[in-house]
Amino acid sequence: MEFHSTLGPLLFLIYINDLPNCSDKLSFKIFADDANVFASESNLKTLEALMNSELEKVKEWCDVNKLSTNMSKTNFMIIKSTRKKDMPVNTQIRNSDGTSHPLVRKNHIKYLGVMIDDCVSWKYHISYICSQISRNIGIISKLRHYCTYQKSNLSKFTITSFILI
């Protein structure tokens, strides 16, 4: 299905609309062709067991509906207090043939344009925004010789506004 059309994304969303029905223990957030799965538990081992069993149901739903899962983009993050000790977690997706694919644990992810880390601090997001602003200031600096003063100020405002939004 082509996503360059107007109807393609809508049909895809209708197609995957029942994905959240495959598990009553997980919370799903679907945006365009990206799905995020959330679960909450106070005990880490219980959370690990819950995720492994429920991800098996999600994978089965994908297989039945002939959707592939990009394992290189599939990862997980555990949000915790800074005072909690970091413990290893073995989360994996089992295939119907019995093989399993271990998921990579990340300490920060980009979610809808916001960098979120496992302690919910703004450290990674601020660093990301600073690098974006720095890059755009460099672009503006190189372009200033080719623009009039009014166009230069307008482009600074536009690029900075876009980054901060």
Side-chain angles (χ1 to χ4, degrees):
M1 183 177 316
E2 287 206 28
F3 278 93
H4 302 294
S5 71
T6 306
L7 196 55
L10 177 63
L11 290 174
F12 181 75
L13 287 175
I14 292 169
Y15 186 68
I16 65 166
N17 191 40
D18 68 329
L19 172 62
N21 297 337
C22 72
S23 172
D24 58 345
K25 296 178 181 168
L26 299 176
S27 172
F28 293 82
K29 301 295 179 208
I30 300 170
F31 184 77
D33 64 341
D34 196 21
N36 292 279
V37 180
F38 299 90
S40 178
E41 269 298 330
S42 56
N43 182 306
L44 191 58
K45 288 298 174 190
T46 308
L47 178 64
E48 179 182 342
L50 171 75
M51 287 305 295
N52 284 332
S53 65
E54 296 302 306
L55 285 175
E56 197 170 324
K57 293 177 186 176
V58 172
K59 178 68 170 121
E60 182 181 329
W61 183 92
C62 289
D63 291 345
V64 165
N65 288 285
K66 304 210 182 324
L67 291 172
S68 61
T69 306
N70 187 343
M71 292 300 180
S72 65
K73 290 184 177 181
T74 306
N75 51 57
F76 73 99
M77 182 175 72
I78 297 176
I79 298 175
K80 61 180 178 42
S81 167
T82 55
R83 290 177 263 155
K84 291 258 183 175
K85 190 172 86 172
D86 209 12
M87 298 177 63
V89 177
N90 181 19
T91 303
Q92 54 193 353
I93 295 181
R94 287 192 204 338
N95 294 321
S96 56
D97 63 0
T99 61
S100 64
H101 184 279
L103 298 182
V104 177
R105 183 174 180 177
K106 301 279 187 169
N107 63 350
H108 67 280
I109 59 168
K110 188 174 183 182
Y111 180 65
L112 297 178
V114 178
M115 298 296 284
I116 302 172
D117 68 1
D118 57 359
C119 295
V120 195
S121 73
W122 293 102
K123 177 176 66 174
Y124 288 100
H125 187 68
I126 291 169
S127 175
Y128 172 72
I129 292 295
C130 287
S131 70
Q132 292 293 308
I133 290 172
S134 176
R135 181 179 63 88
N136 286 324
I137 287 173
I139 292 169
I140 292 168
S141 175
K142 289 177 183 170
L143 291 176
R144 74 174 185 256
H145 303 292
Y146 303 103
C147 296
T148 64
Y149 179 73
Q150 285 180 324
K151 288 180 185 176
S152 174
N153 277 343
L154 179 62
S155 67
K156 286 179 192 175
F157 175 75
T158 305
I159 292 173
T160 306
S161 296
F162 178 73
I163 290 171
L164 296 178
I165 291 177

